[in-house]
């Protein structure tokens, strides 16, 4: 058993290392990236996140959007006191536009890959808590960019490992996002695990914070109870209203969410039900 | 084990000091006035351990947490039906020593309303919020005790002093009326699953709104949501065993999770442990139209003008707004709107790279500034309305001069701001460092270290009192077991007077005897020094 495990790990590492060679255009294979399906959102993972959205370095995720600007360090005089220097931490390279679409719990990245050509001018970010799965999406995007070098496709998608339940405001400023996708989230069937669900009364305030007024939260699940839960919690939140069904069906993202996510395909194979609900971020009330 | 005073609250000319689970009051001359003692059921000490655990501590308290007993024998906390065996007799003393029912919870927070008429305390292991009426002369009258579902870690009051905001370890903030009205207690219990009219939010994060309570148990998964052979089989089994027993279990569980029978509303929550909460007010300039749309009575200045005035000129008016500021273990400081719009997040003060443990609104009319401290090497000064970091001020560098150069981290346990001899002072306590750090908040919003006051023990809390002669004195609660020298006699309450040559330290000698004698030194350390444990130890993915 132990030996088999070791062999498997060795194989994985070899495979992933080979894939990372510069000229490989082959798409990664899921079997070398499997990870158990659940992660505890309350534990302190070894996560990397910026202390403030301004300190987030997006340039490695979206290298084609990096703004070439002259290094200003030489021109401005050096700060006088040490505390001044701490206040202005090394600014990361700027990119020409902000991420506006986030896929929370992007899994193996099916939605990201399908959305990329649909909105080629918008930066899309997938967020995933599991290390190996994030690695898979990273390699997948890399391969897709290489395969479509001439067309310049998939330059606008990126993926990050993050615990969004805790650290969403570390990545996005207030009102930065136009769309947030929550696709086939972990259902957490047991009542005592409900607090780990990605949709809750108190977490919805954070989604409202990162979304601009008029922005949309897209949810889809194959679990009827979870669908009900998400609808109840978003409708109960004063910052959101449900998008009517005709408008929902007219949204081009909805069919993609139904058919292109990995879970969506799996549910399709098993002939399961898919429940979709969209919620619009309302203007904050006057006070 | 002698328990030191560990919390201080000066309320007018009365000093309140928490020692273990007692709250003493002292006059400004530091003469003892009275003591409130945590109520313990009479006769609990004399009964056998088995009988003790059967008794619940108080009807509205949740059962005490089960804890491991030193002797390896665990007391059965649910029932105690086990027959007395030899092992149990042997460990009887140990069981009594650590028995949760026997233990009196420590006071973990001590607060007073701005008008000084009410004192509020949190006790730790029973998660209870106590409200006392203060007669202005040091006498406390117990008005209410409310056992919260999760342990509160910090409290704040709304500006009108009528509502308690309780931040808990689970990450949620609840609003409770300072004085619970007896009429609402019954209604709030029944409406718990419907959205709260004042906040528009359901009362509990995990409660599904408008779920009928008496539905029979039904597995949430179905043949379409589980796919593997094993899971399908498990589902089948689950459905087969859907019997009366399952139904009863479900009902029992629901009864256990029933919300406490008093009015409390969920305002906001972090997915993290909350460490501090405070209420900030800011006077904000807004277009006159927006001011009119807001609540009447909140606008001041020319906001009372009529609609014609607002329409004719690009009139701007000022509104006084209340905010709720919360800090958590995951480096965040969140600024939310005050009630009833606490669900709106206005911004974050981001920049900490370790846990935040203390928030302090700058004193002396500088309420646009917030000072925060925690596991970082520095204190942070914020323009909190705009979420902007204004400056940092070192703590570690000054701690090194007291505790040695090899100290590489600090845990700030108290940031106390006050007017001090014509300046705006901030006194800082760092966990397990026998000194008090005095900073001055300058007019340009910089926080400058003024001096380090060495102490004879580890300070636990600090406050200031007006001395009878009119000057200001510092009052420090400290842990004398860590005293550097004991020949002068140790006390856990020390008065510091600024003199030209330095600080004169006077022990408050007449402390009443503390009854919390049966607590081990280790346990006491754990209770008194809990801040450093907030630091993350990430040794796994």
């Amino acid at each position: 058993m132990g030996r088999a495990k070791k062999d498997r790990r060795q194989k994985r590492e070899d495979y992933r290392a080979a894939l990372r060679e510069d000229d490989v255009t082959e798409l990664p294979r899921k079997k070398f990236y499997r990870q158990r399906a659940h992660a505890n959102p309350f534990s302190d993972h070894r996560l990397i996140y910026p202390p403030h959205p301004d300190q987030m370095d997006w340039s490695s995720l979206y290298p084609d959007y990096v703004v070439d600007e002259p290094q200003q360090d030489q021109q401005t005089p050096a700060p006088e006191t040490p505390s001044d220097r701490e206040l202005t931490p090394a600014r990361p390279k700027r990119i020409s536009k902000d991420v506006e679409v986030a896929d929370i719990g992007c899994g193996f990245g099916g939605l990201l890959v399908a959305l990329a050509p649909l909105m080629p001018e918008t930066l899309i970010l997938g967020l995933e808590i599991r290390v190996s799965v994030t690695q898979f999406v990273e390699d997948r995007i890399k391969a897709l960019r290489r395969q479509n070098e001439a067309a310049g496709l998939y330059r606008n998608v990126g993926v990050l490992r993050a615990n969004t339940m805790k650290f969403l405001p570390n990545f996005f400023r207030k009102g930065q996002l136009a769309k947030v996708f929550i696709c086939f989230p972990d259902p957490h069937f047991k009542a005592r695990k409900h607090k780990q669900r990605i949709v809750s009364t108190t977490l919805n305030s954070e989604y409202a914070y990162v979304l601009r007024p008029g922005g949309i939260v897209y949810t889809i699940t194959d679990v009827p109870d979870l669908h009900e839960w998400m609808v109840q919690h978003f409708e109960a939140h004063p910052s959101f209203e449900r998008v009517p069904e005709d408008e929902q069906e007219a949204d081009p993202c909805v069919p993609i969410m139904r058919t292109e996510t990995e879970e969506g395909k799996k549910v399709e194979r098993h002939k399961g039900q898919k429940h979709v609900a969209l919620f619009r971020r309302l203007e904050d009330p006057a006070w | 084990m002698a328990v030191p005073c560990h919390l201080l609250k000066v309320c007018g000319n009365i000093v309140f000091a928490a020692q273990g689970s007692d709250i003493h009051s002292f006059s400004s001359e530091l003469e003892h006035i009275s003591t409130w003692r945590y109520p313990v059921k009479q006769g609990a000490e004399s009964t056998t351990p088995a009988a003790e655990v059967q008794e619940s501590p108080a009807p509205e308290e949740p059962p005490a947490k089960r804890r491991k007993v030193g002797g390896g024998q665990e007391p059965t906390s649910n029932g105690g039906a086990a027959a007395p065996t030899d092992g149990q007799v042997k460990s009887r003393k140990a069981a009594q020593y650590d028995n949760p029912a026997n233990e009196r919870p420590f006071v973990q927070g001590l607060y007073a309303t701005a008008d000084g008429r009410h004192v509020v305390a949190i006790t730790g292991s029973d998660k209870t919020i106590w409200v006392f009426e203060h007669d202005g002369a040091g006498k406390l009258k117990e008005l209410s005790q409310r056992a919260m579902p999760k342990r509160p870690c910090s409290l704040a009051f709304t500006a009108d002093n009528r509502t308690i905001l309780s931040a808990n370890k689970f990450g949620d903030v609840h609003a409770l009326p300072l004085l619970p009205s007896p009429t609402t207690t019954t209604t709030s219990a029944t409406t718990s699953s419907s959205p709260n009219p004042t906040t528009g939010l359901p009362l509990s994060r995990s409660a599904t709104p408008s779920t009928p309570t008496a539905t029979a148990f039904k597995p949430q998964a179905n043949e379409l949501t589980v796919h593997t052979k094993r899971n399908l089989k498990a589902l089948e089994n689950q459905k087969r065993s859907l019997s009366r027993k399952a139904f009863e279990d479900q009902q029992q569980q629901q009864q256990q999770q029933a919300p406490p029978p008093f009015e409390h509303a969920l305002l906001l929550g972090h997915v993290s442990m909350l460490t501090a909460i405070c209420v900030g007010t800011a006077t904000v300039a807004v277009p006159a139209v927006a001011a009119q749309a807001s609540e009447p009575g909140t606008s001041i200045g020319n906001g009372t003008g009529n609609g014609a005035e607002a329409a004719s000129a690009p009139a701007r008016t000022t509104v006084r707004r209340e905010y709720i500021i919360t800090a958590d273990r995951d480096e965040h400081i969140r600024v939310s709107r005050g009630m009833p719009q606490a669900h709106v997040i206005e911004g974050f003060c981001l920049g900490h790279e370790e846990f935040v443990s203390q928030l302090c609104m700058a004193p002396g009319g500088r309420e646009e500034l917030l000072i925060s401290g925690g596991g970082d090497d520095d204190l942070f000064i914020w323009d909190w309305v705009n979420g902007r970091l204004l400056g940092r001020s070192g703590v570690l560098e000054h701690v090194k001069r007291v505790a040695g150069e090899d100290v590489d981290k600090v845990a700030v346990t108290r940031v106390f701001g006050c007017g001090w001899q014509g300046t705006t002072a901030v006194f800082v306590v760092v966990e397990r460092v026998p000194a008090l750090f005095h900073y001055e908040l300058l007019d340009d919003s910089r926080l400058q270290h003024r001096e380090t006051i060495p102490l004879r023990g580890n300070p636990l809390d600090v406050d200031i009192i007006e001395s009878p002669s009119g000057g200001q004195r510092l009052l420090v609660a400290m842990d004398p077991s860590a005293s550097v020298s004991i020949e002068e006699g140790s006390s856990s309450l020390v008065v510091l007077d600024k003199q030209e040559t330095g600080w004169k330290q006077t022990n408050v000698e007449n402390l009443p005897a503390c009854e919390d004698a049966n607590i081990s030194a280790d346990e006491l350390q754990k209770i008194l020094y809990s801040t450093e444990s907030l630091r993350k130890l990430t040794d796994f993915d």
Side-chain angles (χ1 to χ4, degrees):
Chain A
M1 180 66 202
R3 196 194 169 96
K5 207 170 177 180
K6 199 173 175 188
D7 285 350
R8 214 178 305 146
R9 184 181 302 160
Q10 190 58 45
K11 262 188 204 160
R12 271 185 171 209
E13 276 165 17
D14 293 348
Y15 174 82
R16 293 195 203 174
L19 207 63
R20 230 155 286 147
E21 297 293 317
D22 275 336
D23 48 346
V24 179
T25 57
E26 184 196 338
L27 284 174
R29 290 163 68 191
K30 272 190 202 166
K31 69 172 204 179
F32 295 109
Y33 298 87
R34 295 268 178 219
Q35 192 177 352
R36 68 188 296 265
H38 311 279
N40 182 356
F42 299 126
S43 63
D44 304 328
H45 300 272
R46 196 182 290 146
L47 294 167
I48 299 163
Y49 50 87
H52 189 283
D54 287 350
Q55 280 149 264
M56 177 65 200
D57 184 6
W58 296 105
S59 63
S60 57
L61 291 174
Y62 306 100
D64 292 66
Y65 291 83
V66 172
V67 180
D68 283 322
E69 48 187 354
Q71 290 287 311
Q72 291 177 343
D73 296 26
Q74 278 79 19
Q75 286 142 27
T76 51
E80 282 162 27
T81 62
S83 66
D84 284 346
R85 221 179 306 131
E86 285 162 11
L87 273 185
T88 50
R91 285 229 161 206
K93 280 188 203 161
R94 285 206 313 124
I95 53 171
S96 59
K97 47 176 76 177
D98 285 339
V99 172
E100 286 182 73
V101 175
D103 181 6
I104 294 176
C106 68
F108 288 94
L111 182 78
L112 294 176
V113 168
L115 285 178
L118 186 77
M119 12 186 171
E121 298 306 313
T122 310
L123 295 193
I124 305 166
L125 181 70
L127 296 139
E128 171 59 48
I129 195 168
R130 292 166 292 166
V131 188
S132 293
V133 180
T134 315
Q135 187 67 55
F136 172 85
V137 182
E138 230 169 75
D139 292 346
R140 184 175 180 180
I141 292 172
K142 215 176 283 171
L144 282 169
R145 284 180 183 171
R146 281 190 197 128
Q147 285 177 0
N148 298 278
E149 198 121 41
L153 288 175
Y154 303 106
R155 307 279 159 190
N156 60 330
V157 281
V159 69
L160 264 182
R161 184 191 179 209
N163 179 351
T164 56
M165 289 175 74
K166 281 177 186 257
F167 298 112
L168 205 55
N170 291 62
F171 293 102
F172 305 116
R173 286 187 296 275
K174 187 178 187 176
Q176 182 179 334
L177 299 181
K179 294 177 197 295
V180 167
F181 289 88
I182 300 173
C183 300
F184 300 99
D186 195 336
H188 291 293
F189 288 116
K190 289 177 189 165
R192 57 186 289 267
K193 295 267 183 180
H194 282 180
K195 60 182 183 182
Q196 298 195 10
R197 284 181 169 174
I198 195 101
V199 169
S200 70
T201 308
T202 52
L203 259 178
N204 289 357
S205 289
E206 290 204 17
Y207 301 136
Y209 170 80
V210 294
L211 272 171
R212 64 188 64 149
I216 307 272
V217 177
Y218 294 77
T219 69
I220 183 168
T221 176
D222 59 328
V223 182
D225 289 59
L226 181 63
H227 170 69
E228 221 167 276
W229 167 283
M230 293 197 290
V231 170
Q232 279 167 345
H233 281 78
F234 271 112
E235 282 185 338
H237 198 285
S239 296
F240 289 97
E241 67 170 11
R242 185 151 184 200
V243 174
E245 199 156 330
D246 50 341
E247 204 179 318
Q248 170 184 311
E249 294 311 313
D251 193 312
C253 297
V254 169
I256 292 181
M257 185 165 72
R258 278 215 181 92
T259 55
E260 297 299 326
T261 54
E262 316 292 320
E263 274 303 305
K265 287 176 186 161
K266 186 167 144 194
V267 175
E268 197 79 59
R269 283 200 299 276
H270 293 281
K271 301 197 170 41
Q273 316 131 313
K274 289 181 217 171
H275 305 272
V276 175
L278 273 54
F279 306 93
R280 184 177 292 111
R281 162 78 156 95
L282 301 170
E283 291 274 358
D284 286 333
W287 68 317
Chain B
M1 194 67 220
V3 178
C5 286
H6 62 284
L7 287 171
L8 292 172
K9 188 78 215 171
V10 174
C11 190
N13 53 359
I14 301 293
V15 178
F16 291 101
Q19 181 181 24
S21 47
D22 300 338
I23 301 172
H24 308 301
S25 60
F26 300 89
S27 67
S28 56
E29 290 91 6
L30 293 162
E31 294 295 330
H32 178 239
I33 299 172
S34 72
T35 294
W36 172 81
R37 292 191 194 277
Y38 185 89
V40 179
K41 275 201 164 182
Q42 281 295 308
E45 257 95 350
S46 61
T47 51
T48 63
E52 273 168 41
V53 287
Q54 268 179 319
E55 266 180 63
S56 62
E60 59 262 73
E61 283 171 24
K65 235 180 210 171
R66 263 173 75 154
R67 285 187 312 166
K68 217 167 191 169
V69 174
Q73 186 95 19
E74 221 170 297
T76 47
S77 61
N78 48 357
T85 62
D86 281 351
Q88 213 166 7
V89 172
K90 247 181 262 171
S91 69
R92 195 183 206 176
K93 204 165 182 181
Q96 202 162 11
Y97 192 76
D98 257 6
N99 196 319
N102 201 10
E103 168 206 329
R104 293 190 301 163
F106 265 51
V107 177
Q108 300 279 7
L110 193 57
Y111 305 87
T113 55
D115 57 14
R117 283 169 53 200
H118 293 96
V119 171
V120 180
I122 310 170
T123 47
S125 55
D126 66 348
K127 310 169 191 166
T128 301
I129 296 176
W130 304 77
V131 178
F132 305 96
E133 190 176 68
H134 177 216
D135 64 355
K139 292 265 188 338
L140 292 180
K141 184 181 156 214
E142 191 183 310
L143 292 182
S144 70
Q145 67 176 98
R146 282 171 275 186
M148 303 298 288
K150 300 283 171 193
R151 185 186 280 224
C153 26
S154 181
L155 298 184
F157 301 102
T158 54
D160 63 5
N161 278 322
R162 300 232 293 265
T163 306
I164 301 172
L165 304 175
S166 161
N168 69 25
K169 286 209 161 183
F170 191 60
D172 290 336
V173 175
H174 288 93
L176 300 90
L178 179 68
L179 307 171
S181 52
T183 49
T184 53
T185 49
T186 46
T187 53
S188 69
T190 52
T191 57
S192 64
S193 59
S194 66
N196 183 320
T198 51
T199 58
L201 296 175
L203 287 180
S204 156
R205 171 198 287 188
S206 49
T208 313
S210 71
T211 304
T213 45
T215 48
F217 172 75
K218 176 175 148 272
Q220 291 195 358
N222 58 30
E223 290 84 351
L224 301 169
T225 54
V226 295
H227 311 305
T228 64
K229 207 171 167 185
R230 261 174 73 182
N231 282 351
L232 277 169
K233 192 158 188 190
L235 180 66
E236 210 173 292
N237 284 336
Q238 199 181 15
K239 283 187 169 165
R240 205 177 300 147
S241 70
L242 174 65
S243 64
R244 187 174 170 74
K245 194 182 175 303
F247 175 68
E248 280 171 356
D249 283 354
Q250 181 81 355
Q251 286 225 315
Q252 207 171 9
Q253 201 185 5
Q254 275 173 353
Q255 269 166 8
Q256 277 172 1
Q257 289 173 350
F262 50 82
E263 195 184 336
H264 71 299
L266 176 67
L267 294 185
L268 59 101
H270 299 216
V271 181
S272 179
M273 186 193 290
L274 288 178
T275 52
I277 182 168
C278 68
V279 168
T281 52
T283 307
V284 187
V286 290
V289 184
Q292 279 183 338
S294 74
E295 269 181 79
T298 56
S299 61
I300 54 170
N302 61 351
T304 50
N306 52 31
E309 187 193 70
S312 61
R316 290 180 77 77
T317 181
T318 54
V319 180
R320 197 157 175 76
R321 286 175 175 166
E322 194 171 314
Y323 298 81
I324 300 170
I325 307 171
T326 41
D328 70 27
R329 186 176 163 255
D330 288 293
E331 308 98 30
H332 298 117
I333 299 171
R334 184 194 283 191
V335 180
S336 308
R337 290 186 180 180
M339 287 167 72
Q341 291 185 21
H343 63 275
V344 179
I345 300 173
E346 281 293 314
F348 286 87
C349 296
L350 298 176
H352 276 282
E353 294 182 45
E354 292 289 344
F355 64 87
V356 186
S357 55
Q358 286 282 304
L359 294 177
C360 171
M361 295 303 299
R366 309 281 300 278
E367 56 190 17
E368 77 280 6
L369 299 180
L370 176 76
I371 301 157
S372 63
D376 280 306
D377 299 348
D378 301 331
L379 298 171
F380 288 56
I381 303 106
W382 303 94
D383 164 14
W384 58 270
V385 176
N386 299 305
R388 212 157 51 90
L389 179 62
L390 297 176
R392 296 168 68 150
S393 188
V395 175
L396 179 64
E397 53 195 277
H398 304 295
V399 168
K400 280 185 171 176
R401 289 195 200 123
V402 179
E405 281 298 316
D406 50 342
V407 175
D408 59 350
K409 54 182 189 250
V410 292
V412 172
T413 56
R414 202 68 84 223
V415 178
F416 173 73
C418 59
W420 176 256
Q421 296 173 344
T423 66
T424 306
V426 174
F427 293 96
V428 175
V429 176
V430 179
E431 194 160 87
R432 293 182 194 275
V433 176
L436 191 62
F437 300 91
H438 173 196
Y439 292 78
E440 186 182 333
L441 186 61
L442 305 175
D443 289 337
D444 61 359
S445 305
R446 275 189 307 134
L447 194 62
Q448 179 122 47
H449 176 257
R450 278 280 166 248
E451 66 179 313
T452 300
I453 308 164
L455 297 172
R456 290 197 289 256
N458 292 337
L460 302 169
D461 201 356
V462 59
D463 208 329
I464 55 164
I465 48 164
E466 305 283 327
S467 77
S469 56
Q472 284 179 310
R473 318 172 84 186
L474 275 176
L475 190 60
V476 178
M478 68 161 85
D479 180 5
S481 68
S483 275
V484 186
S485 66
I486 47 163
E487 77 265 13
E488 292 164 82
S490 61
S491 169
S492 63
L493 205 52
V494 174
V495 182
L496 303 182
D497 289 295
K498 177 83 175 164
Q499 294 181 329
E500 282 180 20
T501 49
W503 290 85
K504 181 170 162 263
Q505 306 192 13
T506 319
N507 289 334
V508 177
E509 301 287 3
N510 47 1
L511 284 183
C514 182
E515 290 185 2
D516 279 302
N518 53 356
I519 182 165
S520 70
D522 279 355
E523 213 156 325
L524 186 63
Q525 293 275 311
K526 256 185 225 161
I527 293 173
L528 295 181
Y529 304 108
S530 57
T531 311
E532 180 58 40
S533 66
L534 294 172
R535 200 179 298 274
K536 289 179 189 172
L537 305 162
T538 45
D539 47 1
F540 62 95
D541 282 337

